[in-house]
Amino acid sequence: MNTLTTARFEIESFDIVDKGCGLGEGVFGVPTVAEQVVPGEPPRADWKKTEPCEGIVPDLAGISETMLWSLHNRASETRRSDGVLVDPESARIQTAINYDFARRFGDPMGSLAARAAEIDRALRSWLKLHPDGCVVSLGEGLETQGHRVDNGRLRWLSVDLPDAIRLRERFLAPTHRFCHIAASALDPVWMDAVDPQSDIFIVAQGLLMYLEPETERRLFTSIADRFPTTEIVFDAVPRWFSHLTLWGLNQTPHYRLPAMPWGINRDELESTLRNWHPRVATVEFLDYRAPRGLPRVLADMTNHIPVARHAVPSLVHVTMANAASPPTTNSNAIAGATFPTSSDEEYESENLTTSKEPQMTATNGNVSRADTTVGILAMARQNASRGNDLAKATRRIIAKRVALGLAAALDPMHADHVEFARIIPEKVEAFSAAGMVMLNQSGEASRQMMRFASEEVMTTARATIEMAGCSSPAAWAEAQSRFARAWFSRATSSLNTMGMLMLTAQAAAMAPIRQTVAANAERLGG
C-alpha cells in the first residue's frame, strides 16, 4: 500500500545488550528520525529533549492521520470522571496540537480508549511474568502505552512511518529503554533490531485492517517465524465494515475513513491464524466494546445474538509456541454466554420441572421412546406440563417487575436499575438461543425426511424387481401384500419419528427460555 512504503536504513549494530544510546541512536542500534538533518539547519544538539510543544500543526494524511483519531479518543476519555482510561500524556499532546479534532472526528464514543485500556491490562499481566521483556508497537503513532504500563525495566520499540515518528518525537523523545524506528511495519528492519531470544510482546493496534489480506498473512507468518514464542495483540474489523470502507465510509461530513481491505469475522479468526502458521498456540478474544451509553447497550445486545456477535470488531491476543499446541478457547473468546443447543440441560426452579429431555439418535431413523404412540403421548404431556409451569412462573415474574416499576416511579432514587437493565438483553439472549435450536432441529428434520425418501426409492425399486420375477399371479399378490405391510409399518415408524422429533425440538427450544425464567424466579423470589 502506498502509505506503507518501505523505508530503508543503514543498521550500524544490532547489539541491544551492551550498546547505549548515542546521538540519534536507540538501544536497538537503529537510527531514528531525530538523527536526520534538515538541509540548511544544524543537527539537533540533544534529541532526548522534546521541543516546546504549542500549536503544532500535524502534516498527516491517509492512514497516518488515524493516530489523531485515537489520540482524540484517549485524551477525551482521560478528561471524563467516569473514563475507562487514565492517560494524561495523551491529553497533554492533544492540547499542544493545532487541529480541530471534534470537527474532523466527531464526539468520541470511547471505544478506541477502551481498546487501549484492554491492551494495557494484557501488557501488565505479561510484564509480571517478563519484567525485562521487549514490547514492539507497530504503527504506534502518538500512542503513549509504554508510559502507562512502564515498570522501570521493560524495553519498548515504537515502529512507524517517518512522518509519524517525526511528529511523535516532538512529544515523546526516545530514551535508552524507549526507542523509535522510522520504518514501515512491513520492513524487516525492526525485526532485525530485536533479539529473538528475548521475551517479546508485539502490539499492532489499529494497523492490520489497513493491509491487504495477503500482506497481512505474510506479516503474521514472518513474525511467527522470527519470534517463535512471542505474544501478539491486534484488532480486526468484520467483513461488512471492511466492505463499507472500500466503498467509502464517512466518519463525519469532514472525515472519510481510510479503506480497510482486511476484514474478518470473529468466528473465522482462530482457524485462519492456525492455517497461516502451525506455531499458533492460543487465540483469545479480549473485551472490546464502547464503555457506556447507547453504543454499549447495543454492543451488549449484539453480544447475545449468536450470528451477529461474530460480525463485530475483535481484539485478539495470540500466543506462539515452538510446537503447535491443541486449540484452546477462552471463556470470553466468543464474547458471550454459551447457549444450550441440546435438550439435556437441567434447570432448577420452583414449579419448573427438572427432568432431562429425551435424546435423538440417527440409528435406523428412530428416536429414543419414539417407536410407540405411548412415548409420543408421554412426551406431549410432559411438554404441556412444562409449558403450564413456565407460564405460571412467567406471570409471577411479570408481577414482581410491575411492582418494581411502580416502586421506581414513586421513589426513583432507590429504583432497581440493574433489574430493569437486564430485561431486554435476557430476552434477546433467550429467544436467540431458542431460534438457533430450532434452526438446528429443522436441519435434523430435513435430513430425516431425505433419508425416508431415499429409503422409499430403494424399497420401491426392490419391490418392482421382485414382483417382476414372480412366476404366478398368487406369488405376485403375495409379494405385493408383503411390501404393502412393510410400507405401512415404515410409514407409521416415520410418523412416530417425525412426531417425536417435533416434540423434542419444542422442548429443546424452550430450554433456554426456561433457564432464563428459572434464574429470574430464583433472583426475584418468584
Side-chain angles (χ1 to χ4, degrees):
M1 298 176 64
N2 292 336
T3 52
L4 293 177
T5 304
T6 301
R8 297 295 175 186
F9 297 90
E10 180 179 353
I11 310 302
E12 295 182 2
S13 170
F14 299 132
D15 184 357
I16 66 173
V17 178
D18 300 325
K19 188 171 182 179
C21 291
L23 178 63
E25 193 175 281
V27 296
F28 294 88
V30 180
T32 67
V33 169
E35 182 188 23
Q36 299 172 8
V37 178
V38 179
E41 294 184 8
R44 294 168 60 181
D46 185 0
W47 60 272
K48 292 186 179 181
K49 295 180 180 179
T50 58
E51 300 173 356
C53 298
E54 290 186 8
I56 293 177
V57 179
D59 183 19
L60 301 172
I63 296 171
S64 293
E65 191 179 9
T66 61
M67 74 171 71
L68 301 177
W69 180 19
S70 56
L71 173 70
H72 181 42
N73 263 255
R74 296 194 308 275
S76 300
E77 196 70 15
T78 295
R79 297 186 181 102
R80 296 182 61 103
S81 59
D82 61 345
V84 297
L85 182 72
V86 178
D87 189 0
E89 283 291 279
S90 286
R92 173 183 70 85
I93 295 171
Q94 186 192 39
T95 301
I97 292 179
N98 183 9
Y99 186 89
D100 195 342
F101 290 89
R103 181 177 184 271
R104 189 74 166 152
F105 304 120
D107 295 330
M109 293 188 299
S111 57
L112 300 184
R115 176 186 70 184
E118 190 66 22
I119 299 176
D120 285 357
R121 282 188 281 272
L123 282 169
R124 290 189 182 101
S125 297
W126 182 79
L127 287 168
K128 289 179 181 178
L129 302 175
H130 311 281
D132 298 306
C134 171
V135 179
V136 180
S137 185
L138 302 177
E140 186 164 38
L142 293 172
E143 173 63 76
T144 59
Q145 198 156 53
H147 296 268
R148 295 196 301 270
V149 303
D150 186 19
N151 62 358
R153 297 165 59 183
L154 65 80
R155 290 166 295 146
W156 193 279
L157 177 61
S158 300
V159 181
D160 213 328
L161 297 173
D163 285 345
I165 290 293
R166 186 174 293 107
L167 179 62
R168 178 181 179 83
E169 290 184 354
R170 299 290 297 274
F171 305 100
L172 303 166
T175 68
H176 181 74
R177 290 191 299 113
F178 291 83
C179 299
H180 299 163
I181 290 184
S184 163
L186 306 178
D187 192 327
V189 64
W190 69 265
M191 297 186 192
D192 296 335
V194 178
D195 181 2
Q197 302 303 317
S198 62
D199 298 320
I200 302 167
F201 195 110
I202 296 173
V203 178
Q205 184 177 182
L207 172 67
L208 301 186
M209 66 282 294
Y210 300 112
L211 303 180
E212 294 291 340
E214 178 59 22
T215 304
E216 155 59 14
R217 185 195 66 80
R218 289 200 302 267
L219 176 61
F220 184 86
T221 55
S222 295
I223 291 173
D225 287 337
R226 293 288 293 270
F227 310 114
T229 59
T230 190
E231 297 187 29
I232 309 171
V233 166
F234 66 89
D235 55 323
V237 298
R239 291 183 180 275
W240 66 268
F241 192 82
S242 169
H243 294 326
L244 285 181
T245 65
L246 295 176
W247 294 333
L249 179 62
N250 287 342
Q251 169 78 5
T252 68
H254 309 286
Y255 180 67
R256 171 167 289 193
L257 294 175
M260 302 180 187
W262 188 55
I264 184 168
N265 291 346
R266 186 170 295 186
D267 55 345
E268 302 173 306
L269 266 162
E270 180 167 359
S271 59
T272 298
L273 297 178
R274 292 188 184 280
N275 287 335
W276 283 356
H277 208 285
R279 281 186 179 144
V280 173
T282 63
V283 179
E284 177 185 4
F285 291 88
L286 307 180
D287 190 28
Y288 183 17
R289 291 174 288 177
R292 67 185 68 82
L294 181 60
R296 177 58 182 255
V297 173
L298 294 175
D300 289 342
M301 293 178 61
T302 303
N303 198 34
H304 295 297
I305 302 175
V307 177
R309 63 183 175 179
H310 297 304
V312 297
S314 302
L315 187 59
V316 191
H317 183 183
V318 181
T319 302
M320 300 292 181
N322 276 316
S325 301
T328 61
T329 302
N330 178 267
S331 59
N332 295 324
I334 311 301
T338 301
F339 301 115
T341 56
S342 62
S343 56
D344 61 343
E345 301 289 346
E346 295 188 39
Y347 307 115
E348 297 182 2
S349 177
E350 182 181 358
N351 294 323
L352 292 180
T353 309
T354 59
S355 60
K356 292 185 178 181
E357 312 287 356
Q359 298 299 294
M360 294 186 300
T361 67
T363 304
N364 297 325
N366 294 326
V367 179
S368 176
R369 295 165 49 194
D371 56 343
T372 66
T373 304
V374 175
I376 294 178
L377 293 176
M379 184 67 181
R381 285 194 298 269
Q382 177 176 280
N383 282 2
S385 175
R386 291 185 174 185
N388 290 334
D389 291 341
L390 183 63
K392 293 176 184 178
T394 301
R395 285 195 294 271
R396 288 193 296 272
I397 292 169
I398 292 174
K400 288 280 187 179
R401 283 178 167 168
V402 169
L404 289 174
L406 293 174
L410 296 173
D411 187 7
M413 297 299 294
H414 295 88
D416 191 346
H417 298 292
V418 174
E419 184 64 29
F420 295 142
R422 181 184 287 115
I423 293 175
I424 294 178
E426 74 178 12
K427 286 180 173 57
V428 172
E429 177 179 351
F431 284 103
S432 296
M436 289 300 295
V437 172
M438 290 300 295
L439 186 62
N440 292 335
Q441 298 286 11
S442 32
E444 176 64 22
S446 298
R447 287 190 291 272
Q448 291 279 17
M449 294 177 68
M450 288 294 294
R451 188 178 57 78
F452 293 154
S454 299
E455 288 179 354
E456 287 305 312
V457 170
M458 296 296 295
T459 302
T460 301
R462 287 197 301 270
T464 301
I465 294 172
E466 183 173 337
M467 287 189 289
C470 291
S471 58
S472 67
W476 186 89
E478 193 279 330
Q480 185 181 45
S481 174
R482 185 173 67 255
F483 280 110
R485 291 193 302 270
W487 176 88
F488 183 80
S489 176
R490 288 195 309 276
T492 303
S493 175
S494 297
L495 287 174
N496 286 342
T497 297
M498 295 305 297
M500 181 58 85
L501 187 62
M502 288 186 289
L503 291 169
T504 303
Q506 180 188 37
M510 292 300 294
I513 300 174
R514 292 177 58 243
Q515 180 188 33
T516 300
V517 172
N520 286 336
E522 180 178 357
R523 186 178 63 258
L524 296 172

